[in-house]
Amino acid sequence: MTSSIYIAGKWRPALDGAVREIRSPADGTLVATVSDGKIEDALAAIGAARSAFDSRVFSSWSWNDRSSLLAKIADLLERDAEIIAHLESGDTGKRIIESTYDVADVAATFRHFAKLASAHHDRSVDSGLPHVTSKMTYEPIGVCSLIGPWNYPLLQISWKVAPALASGCSFVLKPSELTPSTAIHLIKLIEEAGAPEGVANLVTGSGAAFGDTLTSDPRVDLVSFTGGLPTGKRIMIKAADTVKRVALELGGKNPNIIFADAPLDEAIDFAVTAAFLHSGQVCSAGTRLIVERPIHDQIVNEIVRRAKQIRLGGPNDLTAETGPLISEGHLKKVEEYLAKGLEEGAKLLVGGSRCTSEELSQGWFFPPTVLDDCNTNMYCVQEESFGPILTVEVFDTIEEAIKIGNDTIYGLSGAVWSTNPITCERVSSELRHGTIWVNDYGPYKPQAEWGGFKASGNGRELGEHGLQEYLEIKHIWVNNSPTRSGWFADRN
């Protein structure tokens, strides 16, 4: 029987025995069969995490001991990198080379939080009184529900699991029901590394089945979620009754602004990558191209030429440069998104319909697509497609570029291209987005915080703040020479 649910140190099937098939979005082949958990499974996992945390079986570990655990997990990830990459590509359809890069980034994430944990100390506070010692201590927040997305399943789960372990929390992990395989393997590595029973728990299955349980249960102290805005709003509502901490990364509609004095060859190359990497299924994808009017034709014509050349294919196609969309349902959403853009007056320059060639017809492939003559009043400019669709807008002044770039409910990331440092400084400081790249697009480091403004979410992952999300801060004041306060008169 399929047993991909992990609770209190034991692998088991779903309580009702239900299973779910995972099929490759590249060709529909069966890649895994996993347990399809329900509310009862989630409740059991929460109970195990709560018991483990309350027993202090892990939270009592020293910072250095937890640092060593994370470093060992990083070693195991590197040992199993090839296995994990193939699991990731099987679930997502992305190229093996991309999944291999992702595994390296996951290991780097664990090493980053291992380093933070090894350097973490309580902080003394000057009380101003010779007989008083005052300090700030940092304690794990408790039980965490960690809910991951399908586009970078293991990477974005690692951004949650690593700091949870570093801080001494217990957790319940719920990967996307579409891409659970690497989460299952990660839990096996955490088990191998020596985490105590009940600290790490995993429930595979649909968020619709038990997501509300993970976010509303009073035994849960924190919910960290990466995914879509509607689900993020629902999580905030469900978490409100118990006033638990919520950390949300909800995507973006990211402006990529190119000025006429930019290094155009490089700007064009990065614009293609920003829009079409992983077929646009990237929360920070640069799918809003905003170009200065005199260079519009030059930029757009070259991007269209490059887009036509991009090769699509499955994980094992060594000539492929990008892969399929995650599912048939998502493909339909991308098609509907494109149709709305065309109804609003956008001009289709390339792409625009699903791939039907013999070698791609069994998967959910959609070609790189460019929509010109767009403006901020359009649905296709304001809403995420989470697909390979690039919209093009123009500007005439720096003020207009900034205004257009900020005209979105989201605020995750963006870029500015110019050889004028004054222009770059002004635009990067006035754009209301959590990450701004200057003459570049897409790089990140575990040492730098990641997160967004506005509807892109709240809280931060990675960096130092990514650890703070999983900690409570306590002030301990010790009076070493107590005397009576004398505030109220003693009339006895």
Side-chain angles (χ1 to χ4, degrees):
M1 181 176 289
T2 299
S3 300
S4 63
I5 291 175
Y6 186 75
I7 298 176
K10 300 292 186 295
W11 291 98
R12 66 166 179 79
L15 287 174
D16 65 0
V19 298
R20 175 184 293 268
E21 292 184 342
I22 308 301
R23 294 189 173 273
S24 169
D27 57 15
T29 56
L30 181 67
V31 296
T33 301
V34 300
S35 305
D36 196 19
K38 303 296 189 298
I39 289 175
E40 294 76 18
D41 301 291
L43 290 171
I46 293 170
R50 186 78 257 170
S51 295
F53 184 77
D54 291 345
S55 74
R56 293 182 52 78
V57 67
F58 183 59
S59 60
S60 62
W61 284 24
S62 70
W63 281 100
N64 283 336
D65 285 344
R66 294 199 295 266
S67 171
S68 296
L69 176 71
L70 266 67
K72 186 171 183 179
I73 294 169
D75 290 342
L76 295 173
L77 284 161
E78 291 171 348
R79 181 197 71 188
D80 290 359
E82 185 175 352
I83 295 171
I84 297 169
H86 279 86
L87 291 172
E88 187 94 330
S89 288
D91 282 3
T92 63
K94 69 172 65 172
R95 297 179 304 150
I96 290 292
I97 190 172
E98 292 183 50
S99 296
T100 301
Y101 290 151
D102 290 348
V103 179
D105 286 345
V106 170
T109 297
F110 275 87
R111 294 203 188 283
H112 163 67
F113 284 107
K115 184 177 180 180
L116 279 187
S118 68
H120 211 281
H121 303 285
D122 293 340
R123 176 169 59 90
S124 296
V125 177
D126 184 4
S127 69
L129 301 170
H131 60 285
V132 169
T133 58
S134 178
K135 67 176 181 178
M136 307 304 299
T137 63
Y138 301 85
E139 301 178 0
I141 193 170
V143 174
C144 306
S145 290
L146 310 179
I147 306 172
W150 50 257
N151 59 331
Y152 287 89
L154 187 60
L155 180 62
Q156 294 194 287
I157 279 173
S158 75
W159 293 6
K160 308 175 190 302
V161 170
L165 290 173
S167 62
C169 293
S170 298
F171 64 83
V172 179
L173 175 60
K174 197 212 90 64
S176 167
E177 61 269 26
L178 300 175
T179 55
S181 298
T182 47
I184 294 169
H185 197 86
L186 175 63
I187 293 296
K188 291 177 180 178
L189 298 186
I190 293 172
E191 181 182 36
E192 182 180 349
E197 293 181 0
V199 171
N201 302 274
L202 169 71
V203 183
T204 52
S206 170
F210 58 86
D212 286 353
T213 301
L214 294 178
T215 56
S216 63
D217 193 297
R219 296 172 294 176
V220 173
D221 302 294
L222 174 147
V223 179
S224 179
F225 169 77
T226 299
L229 178 57
T231 303
K233 290 180 177 180
R234 182 177 179 85
I235 287 172
M236 293 187 78
I237 293 170
K238 291 295 179 179
D241 280 346
T242 51
V243 201
K244 56 173 56 74
R245 190 179 299 177
V246 176
L248 303 172
E249 203 269 81
L250 304 178
K253 192 65 179 175
N254 311 290
N256 186 14
I257 302 173
I258 304 178
F259 284 83
D261 66 347
L264 296 187
D265 183 60
E266 291 81 3
I268 290 167
D269 182 71
F270 273 91
V272 172
T273 302
F276 303 130
L277 177 70
H278 195 15
S279 289
Q281 298 171 120
V282 183
C283 57
S284 57
T287 53
R288 286 186 70 197
L289 184 66
I290 303 170
V291 299
E292 196 165 3
R293 193 178 300 276
I295 58 170
H296 168 274
D297 291 351
Q298 178 183 355
I299 295 288
V300 172
N301 290 342
E302 183 60 13
I303 288 175
V304 168
R305 186 187 70 82
R306 292 278 303 275
K308 291 177 180 178
Q309 298 176 350
I310 294 174
R311 287 188 55 85
L312 281 70
N316 298 315
D317 182 350
L318 298 181
T319 67
E321 296 171 302
T322 191
L325 299 181
I326 189 63
S327 67
E328 182 180 18
H330 187 53
L331 174 60
K332 290 179 178 178
K333 289 180 181 179
V334 171
E335 290 174 331
E336 292 168 359
Y337 171 97
L338 176 64
K340 288 182 180 179
L342 297 176
E343 289 172 3
E344 291 177 314
K347 181 181 179 182
L348 178 65
L349 300 183
V350 66
S353 60
R354 69 168 296 178
C355 301
T356 57
S357 62
E358 183 177 353
E359 65 271 23
L360 301 178
S361 61
Q362 298 303 309
W364 314 121
F365 290 91
F366 196 88
T369 298
V370 178
L371 293 178
D372 201 4
D373 295 345
C374 298
N375 62 70
T376 55
N377 294 320
M378 292 179 172
Y379 175 91
C380 62
V381 171
Q382 292 296 330
E383 298 297 326
E384 281 189 293
S385 71
F386 224 63
I389 300 179
L390 178 69
T391 63
V392 183
E393 304 164 78
V394 296
F395 68 91
D396 293 298
T397 66
I398 187 171
E399 292 79 12
E400 188 179 7
I402 294 167
K403 182 179 179 181
I404 293 172
N406 283 331
D407 190 358
T408 169
I409 64 171
Y410 295 103
L412 183 60
S413 62
V416 53
W417 291 81
S418 172
T419 54
N420 186 329
I422 296 175
T423 297
C424 293
E425 173 65 24
R426 179 179 174 186
V427 175
S428 60
S429 66
E430 294 189 31
L431 284 177
R432 297 282 293 166
H433 300 264
T435 293
I436 302 297
W437 296 289
V438 177
N439 294 328
D440 207 335
Y441 203 103
Y444 81 95
K445 291 291 183 181
Q447 295 78 16
E449 280 76 3
W450 179 264
F453 294 11
K454 302 185 287 185
S456 285
N458 55 46
R460 289 294 185 271
E461 295 184 298
L462 302 178
E464 294 185 11
H465 195 83
L467 181 62
Q468 296 297 322
E469 292 283 357
Y470 293 83
L471 295 172
E472 291 282 20
I473 304 174
K474 179 183 288 184
H475 180 203
I476 298 178
W477 174 286
V478 180
N479 188 337
N480 296 297
S481 182
T483 60
R484 297 181 64 168
S485 71
W487 189 269
F488 293 103
D490 184 350
R491 296 181 175 87
N492 290 333

